[in-house]
Amino acid sequence: MRIGQRISKRTVLVVLLAVSMVTALLGARVAPRLRMVGQYVLLPLGEGGIYVSCAVKKHLKNVTGRALSADEIRRLERENLELRGQQVVLEGEREYWRRQVEVIQGIRQSYAPIRDLPCELIPARVVAADALPYGRTRLVNGGNAVGAESGMKVTTRELLTDRSKRLPPNLAAISATALVGRLMETGEFTARLQLVTDSGYGTWARIRRMLDPAHPRTVTIGGVVRRLSDAHNPLVDVWAQGDGHAALTVAGVSAEENVRPGDWLVTRDDDALLPVQIRIGTVTEVRENPRDPHTVNLLIAPHADFASLREVYIVMRLGPGQQAPGNGGK
Amino acid sequence: MRWVPFAILAYLVIVLQCSLGQMLTFEISAIGSIGPDLAAVAALFIALHARRAADALLAAWVLGFALDLSSASGPGGVTAVGPMALAYVLAAGAVYKIREALFAERVLTRAVIGVIFCLLAHLPWVTLQTILAHNVMTWQAYGARLLQAMAISAYTGVVTPVFYPLLDRVRKWLLSVPAERPGRRR
C-alpha cells in the first residue's frame, strides 16, 4: 500500500497544526532558526523587488509634497541667494582650515601611533522587508559568512562626492552617516535587521543640542543657570526606543536640559559595539510629561530614510590588536 | 488541488509581499504602517474555490506559515512562528463553511469577504502574539495593534477585488477540474 493512501490530508493538517502550536509556544527560542531557513528561499527573488520598491518610493517622495505659494517661492529664492553668498564665504574659510588641519594631522601622524576606528564595516544590501506591516525589520544579504552577528549595529552607506561627472574608480569616499538599527537574527548568508523605529528597539544615546546664535538658550545644572555655548554644551544621556511606527521616543528628559526641536540624537562614543558618534535622528517634538511636570518626552524622526534604504554597513567591532582592513575609504 | 503550482504561487505571493508590497504600504500617524496582506487574498481565493475543506485548510496553513517565517517583528518585539498559520486555518475554515451562501462573483462581496478573512486571521494573530509577549505588552499597545490590524484588514478588503481576477486567471492551474461521478454518462 502506498504511503499517500495511508496518510490522509486530514492527518497531515492535524500534524501541521500541532507543529505550529509547538513552534508558537516555543516562541523566540526557535523562531530565529526557522526564519533563517525561510530566508534562503526569499533571497533569490526578493532583491529585484525591493530595488524597484525603493526606487519608486524615492521617486514618489520627490514628486509629491506640499505645493508652495508664490510668496513662499519668492522668500525661498531670496533665502537661497543669501545662503549661496554665505556658502561661498564659508567654503573659502573651510578650505583655509582644511589646509591647517592637514598640516597638523600630518605632524601628529608622523610622531604618534596610528589610531583608527576599531571596527570593520561590512557592506550589505537590503533584499526584503517584513511581510506584515506590524514590524520594522529588513532582511540584509550579510550573514555569519561575512562576520555578521546578532546585536551588531547597522549604519547607512552613502557615496559622498561633489562632482557631477562620472567618477573614475577608487576616488569616491564612502560615509556611514546614520544609525539604522541592529541585527536581531543572523544566518549563514542573511541577517534580519531591526530598524531603530521598531517597537522592540532600544538604545542608550545622547542628545546634542544645536546652538543657534539667534535663539540662545540656558540650562540649569545643579541649580546653576548657564548659557549654552560652543565651549559649554554637554551632551544629555538618554534611553531611546522605537515607537513601532516611524519615529523614536525618549521619555523622562529633565525639562531643565532645555531640549528643543532640531536637536540631534546621536550614538554614544563609549558604546561597545559602535564606538563613534553618529546621528540617529532629529528631535521633532518636545511634549510635557503628564505624569511628571519636571520632565519632557521627546519624539525623534530618524535621520535615515527607511523607505528607500538599500545599502548599509554592518559594524563589526574588532578585538585588541586587530586592524580594520576596509576602513580606508571611510 | 494542484500542489506544485500552488507552491509556486505561494512563493511568488510572499516574495511580492516582502518586496514590491512595500510600494503599497503607507503610514498613518495615528495608526501606524498600513499595507495589504496579499497572502490573505490568495488564501481566501483557495478557500472559496477548493473542492475539499482539507485542501483549503492546508493551503491556508502553508501561506500562514510562510508569513510567519517572513515577518520577524510585531507585538512585543520578536514574534513567534506558528500563530499566523493557525489564524489562517481558522479564517479559511470559516470562509469555507459560509461560501455556499456568498455570491463571490460580485466585487463588493469579494471586498467584504476579504475584510472578514483578514480580520479573522489578524485579530487572533495579534492576540496570540500579545499573550506570548505578555511581559512587555500593555493593554494600550494591544489596543493600538488591534486598531492597526483592523486598518490592514480594511486595506486588504480594498485590494482583494483587484488581485482576485488575477488569481481567477490561473485557477485552472491551481485547482483540479471536478472529477466525474461514477456511472455518469457524457
Side-chain angles (χ1 to χ4, degrees):
Chain A
M1 189 182 273
R2 283 167 57 200
I3 294 172
Q5 286 173 325
R6 274 184 288 154
I7 303 171
S8 68
K9 284 180 182 169
R10 195 177 289 261
T11 313
V12 173
L13 184 65
V14 170
V15 171
L16 291 177
L17 287 176
V19 166
S20 43
M21 275 183 206
V22 170
T23 53
L25 288 173
L26 288 172
R29 272 173 284 180
V30 295
R33 287 179 195 171
L34 285 172
R35 285 202 179 99
M36 280 305 141
V37 176
Q39 283 157 14
Y40 291 128
V41 185
L42 261 184
L43 202 58
L45 283 185
E47 195 169 354
I50 208 85
Y51 175 78
V52 175
S53 182
C54 286
V56 170
K57 281 227 161 182
K58 211 172 190 174
H59 179 71
L60 283 177
K61 203 174 175 183
N62 289 339
V63 296
T64 56
R66 195 172 62 88
L68 295 173
S69 67
D71 284 346
E72 280 177 315
I73 290 169
R74 271 195 295 278
R75 185 177 55 78
L76 285 173
E77 279 174 350
R78 222 173 26 246
E79 278 181 13
N80 275 345
L81 204 66
E82 285 170 19
L83 288 171
R84 216 166 282 145
Q86 288 175 16
Q87 189 188 0
V88 171
V89 175
L90 287 171
E91 273 177 358
E93 282 183 18
R94 189 189 64 174
E95 187 55 28
Y96 169 77
W97 288 112
R98 192 183 63 77
R99 283 184 195 155
Q100 294 291 319
V101 168
E102 268 180 12
V103 170
I104 294 165
Q105 277 182 344
I107 295 166
R108 279 182 64 184
Q109 279 177 9
S110 303
Y111 296 98
I114 294 168
R115 292 178 67 188
D116 202 352
L117 181 70
C119 295
E120 184 184 346
L121 301 177
I122 304 166
R125 192 176 293 154
V126 174
V127 292
D130 248 353
L132 295 170
Y134 296 102
R136 297 279 170 167
T137 66
R138 298 283 187 272
L139 188 67
V140 294
N141 64 354
N144 299 143
V146 291
E149 283 173 24
S150 297
M152 283 182 176
K153 304 271 174 125
V154 180
T155 68
T156 50
R157 182 151 54 115
E158 288 177 14
L159 184 71
L160 296 183
T161 170
D162 55 359
R163 292 166 66 108
S164 55
K165 283 191 281 184
R166 186 167 168 269
L167 289 167
N170 306 324
L171 278 183
I174 301 291
S175 166
T177 55
L179 184 72
V180 171
R182 68 171 166 227
L183 299 184
M184 62 191 289
E185 297 165 0
T186 53
E188 190 59 20
F189 302 109
T190 58
R192 178 68 67 172
L193 158 66
Q194 185 179 38
L195 301 178
V196 291
T197 52
D198 188 81
S199 57
Y201 186 89
T203 184
W204 284 105
R206 284 175 173 151
I207 300 282
R208 177 187 285 274
R209 286 167 288 207
M210 295 291 111
L211 298 178
D212 179 5
H215 302 95
R217 60 175 138 174
T218 54
V219 293
T220 311
I221 301 168
V224 181
V225 180
R226 294 191 66 171
R227 186 172 165 168
L228 286 181
S229 63
D230 287 330
H232 179 77
N233 185 10
L235 302 174
V236 184
D237 286 336
V238 291
W239 172 256
Q241 57 185 74
D243 71 348
H245 300 324
L248 292 102
T249 54
V250 173
V253 179
S254 171
E256 292 179 341
E257 299 287 1
N258 202 358
V259 176
R260 291 177 183 170
D263 292 345
W264 289 5
L265 183 74
V266 296
T267 55
R268 292 169 61 122
D269 49 10
D270 57 356
D271 189 319
L273 294 166
L274 180 64
V276 66
Q277 258 185 33
I278 60 168
R279 272 176 83 173
I280 303 174
T282 308
V283 177
T284 53
E285 254 186 78
V286 180
R287 299 173 185 160
E288 275 185 25
N289 188 350
R291 290 179 188 167
D292 180 4
H294 301 296
T295 63
V296 291
N297 297 336
L298 311 177
L299 193 71
I300 288 143
H303 182 60
D305 179 13
F306 297 133
S308 56
L309 184 69
R310 277 273 293 160
E311 311 283 346
V312 292
Y313 272 135
I314 298 166
V315 182
M316 184 170 75
R317 181 76 194 251
L318 298 172
Q322 286 181 294
Q323 276 195 336
N327 273 359
K330 186 186 159 291
Chain B
M1 188 81 184
R2 292 175 172 150
W3 290 103
V4 174
F6 169 74
I8 295 168
L9 174 81
Y11 176 57
L12 289 177
V13 166
I14 295 297
V15 167
L16 198 70
Q17 191 154 332
C18 289
S19 54
L20 291 171
Q22 296 303 303
M23 278 196 291
L24 302 172
T25 304
F26 60 91
E27 286 291 330
I28 297 177
S29 56
I31 298 172
S33 193
I34 307 296
D37 185 354
L38 302 178
V41 182
L44 170 69
F45 179 83
I46 304 283
L48 285 173
H49 297 286
R51 284 184 61 210
R52 295 187 195 90
D55 286 342
L57 301 186
L58 275 173
W61 187 91
V62 170
L63 285 163
F65 200 74
L67 269 189
D68 269 327
L69 289 178
S70 51
S71 58
S73 179
V78 180
T79 52
V81 171
M84 192 55 102
L86 295 169
Y88 262 48
V89 170
L90 170 79
V95 169
Y96 188 86
K97 284 272 182 197
I98 61 164
R99 69 179 188 174
E100 296 300 327
L102 300 170
F103 296 99
E105 302 309 312
R106 289 188 181 173
V107 170
L108 188 64
T109 311
R110 286 174 182 175
V112 171
I113 202 76
V115 175
I116 292 170
F117 185 97
C118 226
L119 283 174
L120 285 172
H122 283 241
L123 296 184
W125 182 79
V126 168
T127 306
L128 275 171
Q129 295 289 5
T130 304
I131 292 167
L132 291 169
H134 62 276
N135 49 344
V136 288
M137 284 295 282
T138 59
W139 282 105
Q140 193 185 0
Y142 175 54
R145 292 294 183 181
L146 285 182
L147 188 66
Q148 191 181 7
M150 287 175 202
I152 289 168
S153 303
Y155 189 14
T156 305
V158 171
V159 301
T160 299
V162 179
F163 285 93
Y164 201 96
L166 299 176
L167 291 169
D168 221 10
R169 284 177 177 241
V170 294
R171 191 204 293 205
K172 64 178 178 185
W173 304 105
L174 290 173
L175 305 161
S176 49
V177 180
E180 283 187 21
R181 288 176 190 163
R184 192 177 173 189
R185 289 184 185 174
R186 282 177 187 273

